[in-house]
Amino acid sequence: MKRTNERKPPNYFPYGEKRLPPAKIPAPAFNTLCLHAGSGRFYDIHIVHDGMDARIIQELNRVAAPFTQVSLSFLQLPEEFRQLFQNGNKDRYSPLAYARLMAGSLFPQYGRIVYLDADVLLAGDVAELYFSDLRGASVAAAGDGLALWSIEKGTMHPHLEYMGNYLSSPLSYCNSGVLVLDLDQMRRRNLEHRLLQWLRSRPEPFPYPDQDILNIALHGDITPLPPEWNFQFLSWTWDEERTRLLRGTEFENVPSISCGRSWKLLHMVGPEKPWRLPDAPGTLGQFHWILYSFFWWPEAKKLPAFRKELDAISQGLTPLLRRHIRGQQWKLFFSRGHIFRKRRDKIRWLKKLLSILDGRKP
């Protein structure tokens, strides 16, 4: 993306680390990026993958076609990188998950890029993210939900307690799903070598391997992004006590952003992804799955090329939702106080989601 007299900054999505049907997960993220792209700039979008069907590439190119300010290209992860990243994988994450650690080598033609996970929805112009002031740091990233959890609970999350062995300030732990990378500076500081040293030094991978390595190797060299540019904090409600606990922290505006839906990028973190049928009896009732589905499905249904897969998933989800709503309504009669309000809110969101799948406005 560029103004007439500006260099052309790139963005890239990974494809493959979210191995869930349908196999077209980047499409809603890519489409929302295009929809919010400014008319006075040009946007280079690269989708990095470890194997993508030619038909899917063709359909993604159709999504890009109406947006004349966007160029779309595809980069398959080179074999030497696949072999390198296999050493730290241990079957939990694909080699592609580590690709962001080597962005400087993958994209030698660029001095700065924006990295986005595939499980995001844009509500703002990504150019604003690209032109973020890194304040001398090599990377910009938003705080992780584990840090917010720790502040709310008044105790360190077990993973952040573990990361305290490596970080002087575990509450500064960042989420690696949205990054602004100053590749020129990373090359000057030889940061890829440092990142790879951490990757190779572990006989077993870190719990969140690429994210943990990024936080450890670049500790003190990451400037925080505003939470609205990597919003991971959806909630049924934000009461006064929860809001009070966040005052004076980097998450202070999270309640108002959540209630006003004023995020610029929604990141659907965690295992509960809206594009697949729940694989466990309790998943359907998880608030993240319900809320993510409420925002993801309207965007996904804008893409005619994916109608077949979406219709199949919709047909499977609709009867499950109806049964779950009936079960929650029955339990509501026996609920009191906080449990009653929580169950009532869940029913309301489930009904909104059902109306979207049925093709009606929520």
Side-chain angles (χ1 to χ4, degrees):
M1 54 196 154
K2 72 172 185 178
R3 299 187 182 107
T4 305
N5 60 347
E6 288 176 345
R7 65 191 185 280
K8 194 173 186 180
N11 304 271
Y12 87 86
F13 294 94
Y15 167 85
E17 67 179 281
K18 314 292 183 184
R19 293 185 176 276
L20 306 170
K24 304 168 182 179
I25 296 163
F30 173 59
N31 191 53
T32 56
L33 186 153
C34 294
L35 287 170
H36 293 92
S39 58
R41 299 187 175 101
F42 295 102
Y43 298 70
D44 276 351
I45 311 299
H46 301 267
I47 295 181
V48 181
H49 63 94
D50 57 356
M52 182 180 283
D53 187 88
R55 185 174 63 89
I56 297 176
I57 291 176
Q58 185 179 33
E59 290 174 346
L60 286 167
N61 278 319
R62 288 197 193 103
V63 174
F67 304 98
T68 57
Q69 75 274 43
V70 171
S71 71
L72 176 63
S73 61
F74 300 84
L75 173 65
Q76 184 160 4
L77 193 66
E79 183 60 29
E80 60 266 29
F81 287 99
R82 289 179 56 85
Q83 295 298 324
L84 176 67
F85 299 143
Q86 285 285 8
N87 292 335
N89 184 29
K90 309 301 184 187
D91 298 327
R92 185 178 175 188
Y93 292 83
S94 82
L96 190 62
Y98 296 90
R100 73 200 81 186
L101 304 181
M102 300 292 289
S105 293
L106 286 171
F107 298 102
Q109 69 273 40
Y110 295 120
R112 175 185 282 212
I113 67 169
V114 171
Y115 167 90
L116 302 176
D117 269 356
D119 54 351
V120 301
L121 295 172
L122 277 293
D125 186 351
V126 75
E128 180 183 336
L129 188 59
Y130 175 86
F131 290 112
S132 298
D133 182 3
L134 271 60
R135 300 197 288 273
S138 301
V139 177
D144 192 79
L146 299 183
L148 184 144
W149 185 96
S150 301
I151 294 169
E152 283 193 320
K153 301 296 184 183
T155 185
M156 201 66 73
H157 187 279
H159 183 65
L160 295 193
E161 190 172 349
Y162 163 77
M163 290 300 292
N165 296 316
Y166 304 95
L167 307 179
S168 60
S169 176
L171 287 177
S172 66
Y173 184 75
C174 297
N175 182 276
S176 65
V178 177
L179 301 170
V180 183
L181 301 168
D182 184 338
L183 298 184
D184 282 341
Q185 181 155 291
M186 292 181 72
R187 294 182 189 110
R188 287 194 299 269
R189 297 181 177 180
N190 200 21
L191 295 184
E192 279 190 11
H193 176 70
R194 190 191 307 174
L195 290 163
L196 287 176
Q197 277 186 318
W198 277 103
L199 177 63
R200 290 165 169 159
S201 68
R202 298 279 299 184
E204 293 294 331
F206 286 99
Y208 301 100
D210 61 291
Q211 182 165 289
D212 290 347
I213 290 171
L214 193 80
N215 274 274
I216 295 169
L218 303 186
H219 190 49
D221 197 18
I222 302 175
T223 197
L225 286 173
E228 60 264 30
W229 271 113
N230 186 352
F231 199 78
Q232 320 147 49
F233 316 109
L234 289 178
S235 179
W236 297 123
T237 57
W238 289 90
D239 57 35
E240 177 56 32
E241 177 60 18
R242 293 182 69 197
T243 302
R244 182 189 65 79
L245 290 170
L246 299 179
R247 288 176 189 150
T249 74
E250 64 180 301
F251 305 108
E252 183 173 13
N253 295 327
V254 163
S256 62
I257 295 170
S258 182
C259 295
R261 301 183 191 175
S262 57
W263 53 77
K264 297 180 180 180
L265 183 150
L266 177 65
H267 187 187
M268 293 170 286
V269 297
E272 295 133 359
K273 304 302 183 186
W275 48 79
R276 65 168 177 173
L277 292 171
D279 56 4
T283 305
L284 194 65
Q286 295 296 320
F287 77 88
H288 277 128
W289 185 88
I290 298 168
L291 295 183
Y292 290 160
S293 297
F294 177 76
F295 294 108
W296 186 83
W297 274 87
E299 298 300 332
K301 294 183 81 170
K302 293 177 183 177
L303 304 172
F306 306 95
R307 182 66 58 207
K308 181 179 178 181
E309 288 89 347
L310 293 175
D311 285 348
I313 293 176
S314 177
Q315 290 172 11
L317 285 176
T318 299
L320 289 174
L321 282 171
R322 294 187 190 281
R323 285 199 299 271
H324 195 70
I325 290 171
R326 288 195 297 270
Q328 291 296 313
Q329 288 172 328
W330 184 82
K331 292 177 181 178
L332 193 65
F333 288 107
F334 304 96
S335 304
R336 298 291 183 271
H338 171 71
I339 300 300
F340 176 89
R341 291 189 295 274
K342 185 175 180 180
R343 188 158 281 144
R344 180 194 59 196
D345 289 340
K346 181 183 290 187
I347 292 169
R348 185 180 298 128
W349 279 102
L350 285 167
K351 285 182 175 180
K352 288 179 179 181
L353 176 56
L354 183 62
S355 69
I356 291 171
L357 296 180
D358 285 342
R360 296 176 282 112
K361 291 184 178 181

